[in-house]
Amino acid sequence: MKKVVKFGGSSLASAEQFRKVGKIILAEDSRRYVVPSAPGKRYTGDTKVTDMLYQCYYAAANGEDFDGQIKQIKARYNEIIGGLNLKLSLDKEFETIAENFKNKAGSDYAASRGEYLNGILMAAFIGYPFVDSAEVIRFNKDGEFDAETTDRLLKEKLKDMPKAVIPGFYGAYEDGKIKTFSRGGSDVTGSIVARAVEADLYENWTDVSGFLVTDPRLIEDPVTIDVITYKELRELSYMGATVLHEDAIFPVRKAGIPINIKNTNRPGDKGTMIVASTCHKPDYTITGIAGKKGFVAINIEKDMMNSEIGFGRKVLEEFEKQGISFEHIPSGIDTMSIVVHQDEFEEKEQQVLAGIQRAVNPDYLEVEGDMALVAVVGRAMKSNRGTAGRIFSALAHANVNVKMIDQGSSEWNIIIGVRNEDFEKAIKAIYDIFVTTQL
Amino acid sequence: MKKVVKFGGSSLASAEQFRKVGKIILAEDSRRYVVPSAPGKRYTGDTKVTDMLYQCYYAAANGEDFDGQIKQIKARYNEIIGGLNLKLSLDKEFETIAENFKNKAGSDYAASRGEYLNGILMAAFIGYPFVDSAEVIRFNKDGEFDAETTDRLLKEKLKDMPKAVIPGFYGAYEDGKIKTFSRGGSDVTGSIVARAVEADLYENWTDVSGFLVTDPRLIEDPVTIDVITYKELRELSYMGATVLHEDAIFPVRKAGIPINIKNTNRPGDKGTMIVASTCHKPDYTITGIAGKKGFVAINIEKDMMNSEIGFGRKVLEEFEKQGISFEHIPSGIDTMSIVVHQDEFEEKEQQVLAGIQRAVNPDYLEVEGDMALVAVVGRAMKSNRGTAGRIFSALAHANVNVKMIDQGSSEWNIIIGVRNEDFEKAIKAIYDIFVTTQL
């Protein structure tokens, strides 16, 4: 068993948090490769070390005095070092950083130092060797992540290192210049390392006990998802759920390595397991509910449109011409709606409508804005008959008017269009029927 | 008030039926223009006069003796004439017909004589003047119906005729050669006349008391639709309901003239009123249920397809290249299904699949056949919340697996994909929940 364990900023914000993390890592010998973030907020209103570094760097780059700022950052680390009773000095590292700041090493360099220093601290604390990500995570000349070279470098480096600390968030160009990931941060690093070392599991430790069935801003204290497939996760995340960034999932997904989202503050909780596929029977028929406001439906009616070969293609082409991607194309008989993002559509509205008019000469053409889309996702929906009935009964009961329904043959997601103002009500109704009333 | 009244073959099969028809026409002075079909079957196993005419003509055209056959046809008319105690002889007409049959006047000519003779008979019976449709219904050189000329000819002819009998089913080229309508038969004639005379109502008399909510072969004795809009009718007819042919509706629909489907055998029944739009509150939330078997879904999955501009257009183009029109495009997130007719798709299957593979390089491409589509149609669905809930609960209860759902913003039809084998069960479940249990 070989695990890569990544810890988020809140898990490493203080000595107290470090102690929890240390306990977690050392509790299992399989937790061999550790990817730390930079220290996060210790309390609401606190500043993350990464943000302190940015500010400090801008002062330095503008030729201002940044001595006080760098001391504050150093104090954050020393607070942790002191709290852990470590015999570790970061003086030399801070000297180098100050020097490089003066020489305008770049904001990526500045931002990355939070992870870099935390990696050194972590290595000293748990007694694992430290590997600088600049040596093993590689970007190509265009600034794109070079997966192949990185994989090779990591494999070479870690071949004889059964354990190591590899800081998250950054890598370097071939010439050594530091570059950070633009999206996904330390999560990406953990995922890349997991794939390179062919880990059995990628543990992503954070401050929540996994993903929630729906948005906690809409539903008070929603239940946690125990097991979710990559596909379900991708769907929920596409529809607005805040989960791991696509870039952070891609490397392990490709390698078929499961991810376990765990809570540093409640390590006993099972968290959420993200897997390629599973025969695990979920607690609820639905895995998650997500949604977004701000869609618009362009409704087209034309007698006999179904038998007009090329009709749909011509309509879609008008959207394509204006660079607008469509979300859904629900259709009846002689009617067809194109659902697109309102913000993308608005400025090109008249061009698209005129184009459709010219291209297919519809009997009726209408734009209906302020629509929200709700996605109900769940691999168990396919085998649980009546899911659609429960959803639409619940919505009717909640007086939500269903503007659109789309369920393809995959049978594990249903997309429902409602008015923007019914959005919260719709999500609550669906959550209640599948989760609350089932308890 | 000006009505055009069309009578179907079963309404004119015998003297007894003629008497009912005569009573109906004369009951209202507004029933001014009468469009008769040829005599239909008097009983199960009987032969329609039109079919007798075809057979007779083929014998004549092949140089065989057709004397006996023409006598049988004459006997059918004489039976009616005798039964009605009319002083009418069709001897001269039958001589001309026999002569023209020998001279190979064409099968259209032959087939049209059923209506022609019945028109003369009807005119004599009710005392209205007879107008030969050959004079007023015009086809152009390409054999297409010439709406403009016909409209002018009818207006001229009927200007000073407040009442008339105009036989259905046929017209003529400019040179007088007879041509029949290829689709819609006498219904089309009635509709054309109604438009030309600017009728207030087109009564279409038949042997049923209107359209049924669903197929009587699937549901025993389904209830009748009282009021249906042209749009709803078009949808149900597209989805397989046997109603008036599109061509028969088009002229009156264009002119905004309502159609009333009535039962000659139960003239007191209100029948079904077909209207452009209405504020009439229907008895049931749904107006009708129809459906067809034999569809296939081509399921496509690809990560991030929604943000790939042109994805849908490229997919549809592959179907267009092979001349296949699509029925529906239900989509989830990263999934898209194209629903097409199985018979159209089967022979081009591999070309389409290879084309899609080349065009969009999907992660997953699968064909799922033997799907049936069920259309639930009803203008009242929009204002009745919970319709979708009732449909899908009913289907779940009936153990029908829902393969696809499509409801566009028109909100008055929902298309449901089920397995072919669940088709009848699905229609029954939906009928029962909206009609049976509501009683």
Side-chain angles (χ1 to χ4, degrees):
Chain A
M1 190 76 168
K2 197 191 287 175
K3 290 183 188 174
V4 169
V5 289
K6 179 258 169 184
F7 292 90
S10 64
S11 301
L12 302 168
S14 64
E16 191 197 342
Q17 290 298 84
F18 256 82
R19 255 192 229 102
K20 291 183 194 166
V21 167
K23 222 166 140 183
I24 289 166
I25 297 172
L26 301 175
E28 285 189 27
D29 199 50
S30 58
R31 291 179 174 136
R32 287 165 47 181
Y33 299 102
V34 180
V35 176
S37 298
K41 294 180 184 179
R42 292 159 293 185
Y43 45 81
T44 314
D46 194 15
T47 309
K48 291 180 183 179
V49 164
T50 305
D51 293 333
M52 295 169 83
L53 284 162
Y54 271 123
Q55 285 161 26
C56 178
Y57 177 69
Y58 285 119
N62 287 328
E64 296 165 21
D65 176 52
F66 62 95
D67 212 42
Q69 292 184 48
I70 217 158
K71 270 188 184 140
Q72 281 185 358
I73 299 168
K74 203 171 165 181
R76 282 288 295 267
Y77 284 99
N78 282 336
E79 187 190 301
I80 300 170
I81 293 169
L84 296 174
N85 298 317
L86 287 184
K87 278 186 183 60
L88 172 70
S89 162
L90 296 173
D91 289 354
K92 220 174 127 269
E93 281 78 11
F94 273 98
E95 266 167 45
T96 311
I97 290 169
E99 193 61 29
N100 286 331
F101 274 25
K102 267 182 217 152
N103 299 331
K104 302 188 182 173
S107 60
D108 274 20
Y109 169 79
S112 74
R113 294 306 90 186
E115 274 76 8
Y116 170 77
L117 293 167
N118 227 19
I120 294 174
L121 207 168
M122 173 68 80
F125 177 50
I126 56 172
Y128 283 20
F130 173 75
V131 172
D132 187 354
S133 299
E135 290 176 44
V136 285
I137 308 277
R138 178 63 49 84
F139 291 86
N140 68 20
K141 271 173 292 190
D142 301 326
E144 290 155 354
F145 171 62
D146 179 348
E148 219 170 294
T149 309
T150 299
D151 209 52
R152 183 171 51 75
L153 291 174
L154 274 166
K155 279 192 162 76
E156 280 171 19
K157 183 79 186 179
L158 302 176
K159 198 172 43 171
D160 303 317
M161 295 175 85
K163 298 185 170 185
V165 173
I166 307 143
F169 190 38
Y170 72 96
Y173 294 94
E174 208 179 343
D175 66 4
K177 188 172 155 56
I178 297 293
K179 176 158 173 54
T180 55
F181 288 107
S182 52
R183 292 174 301 266
S186 294
D187 291 329
V188 181
T189 310
S191 186
I192 290 166
V193 172
R195 188 179 57 178
V197 303
E198 293 169 18
D200 299 291
L201 182 65
Y202 170 28
E203 283 182 351
N204 191 308
W205 292 80
T206 172
D207 53 2
V208 291
S209 292
F211 296 136
L212 303 172
V213 166
T214 193
D215 189 337
R217 288 166 301 184
L218 304 178
I219 302 291
E220 205 184 326
D221 207 11
V223 297
T224 302
I225 299 169
D226 49 357
V227 180
I228 190 168
T229 65
Y230 283 120
K231 266 191 194 174
E232 291 172 319
L233 188 73
R234 155 95 183 109
E235 305 212 332
L236 291 171
S237 118
Y238 183 83
M239 285 302 283
T242 2
V243 290
L244 289 177
H245 192 278
E246 193 68 31
D247 291 0
I249 290 170
F250 188 72
V252 280
R253 176 173 183 174
K254 225 178 138 182
I257 300 166
I259 306 174
N260 195 0
I261 307 294
K262 296 274 283 178
N263 189 347
T264 301
N265 305 314
R266 299 173 59 94
D269 288 355
K270 285 172 64 185
T272 298
M273 189 70 93
I274 311 170
V275 298
S277 71
T278 176
C279 62
H280 169 86
K281 208 179 129 30
D283 291 340
Y284 309 99
T285 301
I286 59 163
T287 300
I289 316 163
K292 283 195 275 196
K293 290 183 181 182
F295 291 92
V296 58
I298 295 90
N299 303 326
I300 304 172
E301 290 189 22
K302 189 180 184 187
D303 263 12
M304 323 284 270
M305 70 158 69
N306 295 50
S307 37
E308 195 176 324
I309 290 174
F311 190 94
R313 191 260 309 156
K314 285 179 206 157
V315 170
L316 294 188
E317 219 160 51
E318 295 305 320
F319 289 88
E320 190 180 349
K321 274 185 202 162
Q322 306 298 335
I324 300 167
S325 59
F326 69 89
E327 293 296 309
H328 296 284
I329 322 173
S331 60
I333 297 145
D334 298 340
T335 68
M336 175 176 183
S337 300
I338 320 290
V339 179
V340 298
H341 285 275
Q342 194 149 353
D343 53 356
E344 272 186 48
F345 180 69
E346 262 172 356
E347 52 180 312
K348 306 286 183 65
E349 182 184 74
Q350 295 311 318
Q351 290 97 306
V352 173
L353 295 180
I356 293 172
Q357 195 71 49
R358 266 193 308 273
V360 299
N361 187 30
D363 298 336
Y364 180 74
L365 182 60
E366 176 219 48
V367 175
E368 197 175 1
D370 301 319
M371 189 157 108
L373 293 183
V374 175
V376 186
V377 171
R379 61 190 182 281
M381 285 164 60
K382 188 166 182 159
S383 51
N384 278 289
R385 282 193 183 120
T387 305
R390 291 172 75 192
I391 292 173
F392 295 109
S393 299
L395 291 177
H397 208 74
N399 272 324
V400 171
N401 203 4
V402 175
K403 308 292 292 172
M404 186 208 105
I405 307 173
D406 211 343
Q407 184 215 293
S409 298
S410 68
E411 291 179 59
W412 40 269
N413 69 60
I414 295 183
I415 313 288
I416 302 146
V418 301
R419 283 183 227 284
N420 273 349
E421 72 231 45
D422 284 341
F423 178 66
E424 288 80 6
K425 214 159 57 170
I427 291 200
K428 187 165 170 19
I430 298 168
Y431 181 84
D432 283 347
I433 198 77
F434 285 103
V435 181
T436 314
T437 63
Q438 177 139 332
L439 285 174
Chain B
M1 190 75 166
K2 197 190 287 174
K3 290 183 185 172
V4 169
V5 289
K6 180 256 167 183
F7 292 90
S10 64
S11 301
L12 302 168
S14 64
E16 191 197 343
Q17 290 298 86
F18 256 82
R19 255 193 229 101
K20 290 183 195 167
V21 167
K23 221 165 139 186
I24 289 166
I25 296 172
L26 301 175
E28 286 190 25
D29 198 52
S30 58
R31 289 178 176 140
R32 288 166 47 181
Y33 299 102
V34 179
V35 177
S37 298
K41 295 180 183 179
R42 291 159 295 183
Y43 44 82
T44 313
D46 193 16
T47 309
K48 292 181 183 179
V49 164
T50 305
D51 292 335
M52 294 169 86
L53 283 162
Y54 271 125
Q55 285 162 26
C56 179
Y57 177 70
Y58 284 119
N62 286 330
E64 295 166 19
D65 176 50
F66 62 96
D67 212 41
Q69 293 184 48
I70 216 159
K71 269 188 188 143
Q72 281 184 359
I73 298 168
K74 205 171 164 182
R76 282 289 293 268
Y77 284 99
N78 283 337
E79 188 190 298
I80 299 170
I81 292 169
L84 297 174
N85 297 317
L86 286 184
K87 277 185 183 60
L88 173 71
S89 162
L90 295 174
D91 289 356
K92 220 176 127 266
E93 281 77 11
F94 271 100
E95 266 167 44
T96 311
I97 290 168
E99 192 61 29
N100 286 332
F101 274 26
K102 267 182 216 149
N103 297 331
K104 301 188 181 171
S107 59
D108 274 20
Y109 170 79
S112 74
R113 294 306 90 185
E115 275 75 9
Y116 171 75
L117 294 166
N118 227 20
I120 294 173
L121 207 169
M122 173 68 79
F125 177 50
I126 57 172
Y128 282 21
F130 173 75
V131 173
D132 186 355
S133 299
E135 291 176 42
V136 285
I137 308 277
R138 179 61 51 84
F139 289 88
N140 68 20
K141 273 174 291 194
D142 301 327
E144 289 157 355
F145 171 62
D146 179 349
E148 222 168 294
T149 309
T150 299
D151 210 52
R152 183 172 51 73
L153 292 173
L154 274 167
K155 278 192 163 78
E156 278 171 18
K157 184 79 184 177
L158 301 177
K159 197 172 39 162
D160 302 317
M161 295 175 84
K163 299 185 169 184
V165 173
I166 306 142
F169 191 34
Y170 72 95
Y173 292 94
E174 208 178 344
D175 65 3
K177 189 173 154 55
I178 298 292
K179 176 158 172 54
T180 56
F181 288 108
S182 51
R183 292 173 301 267
S186 294
D187 291 328
V188 181
T189 310
S191 185
I192 290 166
V193 173
R195 189 179 54 178
V197 303
E198 293 169 18
D200 299 294
L201 183 65
Y202 170 28
E203 283 182 352
N204 192 306
W205 293 81
T206 172
D207 54 1
V208 290
S209 293
F211 296 137
L212 304 171
V213 167
T214 193
D215 191 337
R217 288 166 299 184
L218 303 178
I219 302 292
E220 204 184 328
D221 206 11
V223 298
T224 303
I225 299 169
D226 49 358
V227 180
I228 190 169
T229 64
Y230 283 119
K231 265 191 192 174
E232 290 173 323
L233 187 73
R234 155 95 185 108
E235 305 211 332
L236 291 170
S237 120
Y238 183 84
M239 285 303 284
T242 1
V243 289
L244 290 176
H245 192 278
E246 193 67 32
D247 290 0
I249 290 171
F250 189 71
V252 282
R253 176 173 184 175
K254 225 178 139 183
I257 300 166
I259 306 175
N260 195 0
I261 306 294
K262 297 274 284 176
N263 188 347
T264 301
N265 306 313
R266 300 173 58 95
D269 287 356
K270 285 174 62 185
T272 298
M273 189 70 92
I274 312 170
V275 297
S277 72
T278 177
C279 63
H280 168 88
K281 209 181 128 29
D283 292 340
Y284 308 101
T285 301
I286 58 163
T287 301
I289 316 162
K292 285 196 274 197
K293 291 184 181 181
F295 291 92
V296 56
I298 296 88
N299 303 326
I300 304 172
E301 290 189 23
K302 189 181 184 186
D303 263 11
M304 322 284 270
M305 68 159 70
N306 295 48
S307 37
E308 196 175 325
I309 289 175
F311 189 93
R313 190 260 308 157
K314 285 180 206 157
V315 169
L316 294 187
E317 219 159 52
E318 296 305 319
F319 289 87
E320 190 179 349
K321 274 186 202 163
Q322 306 297 334
I324 300 167
S325 59
F326 68 89
E327 294 296 310
H328 296 283
I329 321 172
S331 60
I333 297 146
D334 298 341
T335 68
M336 175 176 184
S337 299
I338 320 290
V339 178
V340 297
H341 285 275
Q342 194 147 354
D343 53 357
E344 272 186 48
F345 180 70
E346 262 172 355
E347 52 180 312
K348 306 286 183 64
E349 181 184 78
Q350 294 311 317
Q351 288 97 307
V352 173
L353 295 180
I356 293 172
Q357 195 70 51
R358 266 193 310 272
V360 299
N361 187 31
D363 297 338
Y364 181 72
L365 181 60
E366 175 218 48
V367 175
E368 197 173 1
D370 301 319
M371 190 158 107
L373 292 184
V374 175
V376 187
V377 172
R379 60 191 182 281
M381 285 163 61
K382 188 166 181 157
S383 51
N384 279 290
R385 282 193 183 120
T387 306
R390 291 170 76 191
I391 292 172
F392 296 108
S393 298
L395 291 175
H397 209 73
N399 272 324
V400 171
N401 203 2
V402 175
K403 307 293 291 174
M404 184 207 107
I405 306 173
D406 211 342
Q407 185 215 291
S409 298
S410 68
E411 289 178 60
W412 41 269
N413 70 58
I414 295 184
I415 313 287
I416 303 145
V418 301
R419 284 183 226 284
N420 273 348
E421 73 232 44
D422 284 342
F423 178 66
E424 289 80 7
K425 213 159 57 169
I427 291 201
K428 189 166 167 21
I430 298 169
Y431 181 85
D432 283 347
I433 199 77
F434 285 103
V435 181
T436 315
T437 62
Q438 179 138 330
L439 285 174

